[in-house]
Amino acid sequence: MPSLRFLTAGESHGRGLVAIIEGIPAGLPIAAEQVDHDLGRRMQGYGRGARMKIEQDRIEWLSGVRAGETLGSPIAMLIRNRDWANWEEIMAAEGTPGEERRRRVVRPRPGHADLVGVLKYDRHDARDILERASARETAARVACGAVARRLLAELGVDVGSHLVSLGGIRAMGDVPVGAGLNALSDASPVRTLDPAAEAEMIARIDQAKRDGDTLGGEIEVVVQGLPVGLGSHVHWDRKLDGRLAGMLMSIPAVKGVEIGMGFEAARRPGSEVHDPIVAATDDAPPNDPRAGFRRVGNNAGGLEGGMTTGEPLVVRVAMKPIATLMSPLKTVNLDTGAEANAQSERSDVTAVPAMGVIAEALVALVLADALLEKTGGDSMTEVRRNLDAFLTQAGGRWQAIAEREADA
Ligand code: EPS
């Protein structure tokens, strides 16, 4: 069983979303505003549609938190859908099976779950599928991720992201050392660190909107302050690379994940890929296991053998364009079998900037799970003590070598 698990429920136009996270130790300070901050960040981004003007995502604690601290019990959160007022009748739980309701969807969108979903689940209205396939569900995951982020932050770990490409336009820009990445990326309407690319991307989004088209792109998550040795090399399902990639590939419309140098590493010789290990007697804190074993570069993206190296974790995530096109693609009507244009409901031109916030949340959940697996602990006191003990032990190795060499 994982150390940390989470579950979400809720339809896009239902009453709301429920998020449950289980395994967070007792004594973690947390406030609703900290979760709401991430929910608000997820709703931003140039290219989103009208729905984001309706919603003001906020959590209500249902359980697991008392007097501003976690209790160690499952944490349940509710996010109400403000749009519910407009959908109450269409989405009502009461009624008769098979009855015809307004806003039926019978022209499935290529690229969406619509068609396979109705076949697999034996439905006659693709709304029964799209309501849950919708990226609305990611709000609940971001809420769980915000709790995991709080845990990591208490231990000095910062999770940030920025957009590196949109609609084929690439962005440059240096990630700051420390905890300042999101302050920079959140200030950009497309969450990029490159002002020139930002202007081009906004123009590309405006053009796509006029064309009734949609755009994909890539984001990069950077995690700084991670201890060495999270994850493990000993078994496939304990390797952190796989756990991260699996989680990130579960974001709607995500089609690829790269770690560190990523796919480029496949094209280069080993001498250009692996990060040399060099001895260095610098003034790093005695409990830093990396002291004495410095790395030249970080092409590994902070992972070797399925474990964290202590260098920044760097993961890139690629998202395809949203499947709801205002200039629709060809499809077949589910009722009549006739050729038709795919349904085009209100949607976003692009949601890549928001996907970065979702990816941060999921990376935080995977890392918090791996951290708790390393430390164990029912309370934050215990987690802290166990982590410090491990770091002191691993960091002491260099000290021991240095003392032995000095004696010799
Ligand atoms: C979505 C379509 C749009 C998006 C929605 C995902 O919603 P609506 O159909 O209500 O206009 O805004 O995203 C969210 C609601 C959200 O919170 O991210 C879709 O079809 O997936």
Side-chain angles (χ1 to χ4, degrees):
M1 198 167 64
S3 304
L4 196 66
R5 31 188 195 157
F6 70 97
L7 203 58
T8 75
E11 272 79 40
S12 180
H13 302 97
R15 196 180 289 275
L17 301 163
V18 176
I20 302 180
I21 177 166
E22 197 272 327
I24 293 287
L28 174 70
I30 191 150
E33 296 74 48
Q34 291 167 322
V35 179
D36 294 347
H37 176 71
D38 276 349
L39 293 180
R41 293 175 61 233
R42 193 199 67 94
M43 298 178 73
Q44 303 306 311
Y46 197 81
R48 299 218 66 185
R51 176 78 185 272
M52 290 303 103
K53 293 191 180 73
I54 298 171
E55 301 299 342
Q56 286 171 14
D57 291 343
R58 276 201 175 90
I59 60 140
E60 292 166 46
W61 298 119
L62 298 180
S63 74
V65 176
R66 185 162 184 244
E69 271 190 358
T70 55
L71 300 176
S73 57
I75 299 169
M77 296 167 277
L78 170 68
I79 305 166
R80 292 180 198 271
N81 288 332
R82 285 171 49 124
D83 212 8
W84 168 244
N86 306 318
W87 290 81
E88 211 169 329
E89 195 190 310
I90 300 163
M91 293 300 294
E94 300 74 24
T96 331
E99 74 187 1
E100 194 149 315
R101 289 190 175 177
R102 285 191 296 121
R103 313 275 316 240
R104 226 178 131 231
V105 176
V106 293
R107 291 171 290 128
R109 291 158 293 176
H112 211 281
D114 298 351
L115 178 59
V116 187
V118 292
L119 296 175
K120 178 174 164 69
Y121 284 85
D122 190 25
R123 302 278 88 197
H124 295 276
D125 178 354
R127 179 156 308 283
D128 291 352
I129 305 305
L130 68 90
E131 283 289 333
R132 182 63 184 164
S134 160
R136 176 84 191 135
E137 180 270 341
T138 61
R141 285 200 248 175
V142 167
C144 293
V147 179
R149 183 201 294 279
R150 275 295 308 123
L151 176 93
L152 295 172
E154 283 290 306
L155 303 167
V157 180
D158 178 76
V159 185
S161 74
H162 64 119
L163 182 139
V164 293
S165 92
L166 197 146
I169 300 162
R170 302 211 66 84
M172 311 297 280
D174 290 330
V175 173
V177 176
L181 174 55
N182 280 342
L184 292 180
S185 55
D186 287 346
S188 157
V190 286
R191 305 197 68 251
T192 180
L193 306 178
D194 180 343
E198 174 188 296
E200 245 187 286
M201 287 168 180
I202 287 173
R204 179 72 54 93
I205 294 168
D206 289 340
Q207 186 59 48
K209 192 176 169 75
R210 282 193 291 276
D211 296 344
D213 217 332
T214 55
L215 298 171
E218 295 151 81
I219 63 91
E220 181 174 86
V221 178
V222 182
V223 186
Q224 301 188 63
L226 276 172
V228 73
L230 304 187
S232 175
H233 65 290
V234 301
H235 201 249
W236 66 268
D237 55 357
R238 295 180 58 187
K239 286 173 181 275
L240 212 48
D241 311 51
R243 288 156 71 178
L244 285 163
M247 187 69 93
L248 290 166
M249 287 290 281
S250 77
I251 301 173
V254 162
K255 290 286 132 188
V257 174
E258 285 187 317
I259 292 171
M261 194 184 243
F263 276 45
E264 181 59 24
R267 301 171 196 127
R268 298 216 197 164
S271 55
E272 289 177 23
V273 170
H274 303 295
D275 309 311
I277 304 167
V278 292
T281 41
D282 54 14
D283 50 6
N287 71 343
D288 183 352
R290 295 172 306 160
F293 308 96
R294 290 276 157 209
R295 310 308 295 254
V296 180
N298 185 22
N299 289 337
L303 290 173
E304 277 175 339
M307 296 173 280
T308 53
T309 62
E311 300 298 320
L313 178 79
V314 182
V315 189
R316 274 180 306 282
V317 187
M319 184 187 196
K320 70 180 180 178
I322 285 168
T324 309
L325 272 62
M326 291 305 150
S327 304
L329 296 169
K330 286 276 167 265
T331 190
V332 171
N333 185 303
L334 291 175
D335 287 342
T336 65
E339 246 189 52
N341 287 330
Q343 204 104 357
S344 52
E345 293 206 338
R346 166 184 76 181
S347 186
D348 309 322
V349 175
T350 188
V352 184
M355 189 271 284
V357 179
I358 300 158
E360 282 173 33
L362 296 185
V363 165
L365 283 160
V366 172
L367 293 176
D369 178 37
L371 192 129
L372 292 171
E373 173 186 285
K374 181 86 190 83
T375 63
D378 297 307
S379 68
M380 285 306 289
T381 319
E382 211 176 346
V383 169
R384 249 191 226 101
R385 188 178 66 217
N386 294 350
L387 181 61
D388 283 346
F390 165 66
L391 291 176
T392 304
Q393 169 215 309
R397 172 190 291 252
W398 176 252
Q399 221 124 14
I401 298 171
E403 279 161 25
R404 209 171 52 230
E405 290 298 306
D407 288 348

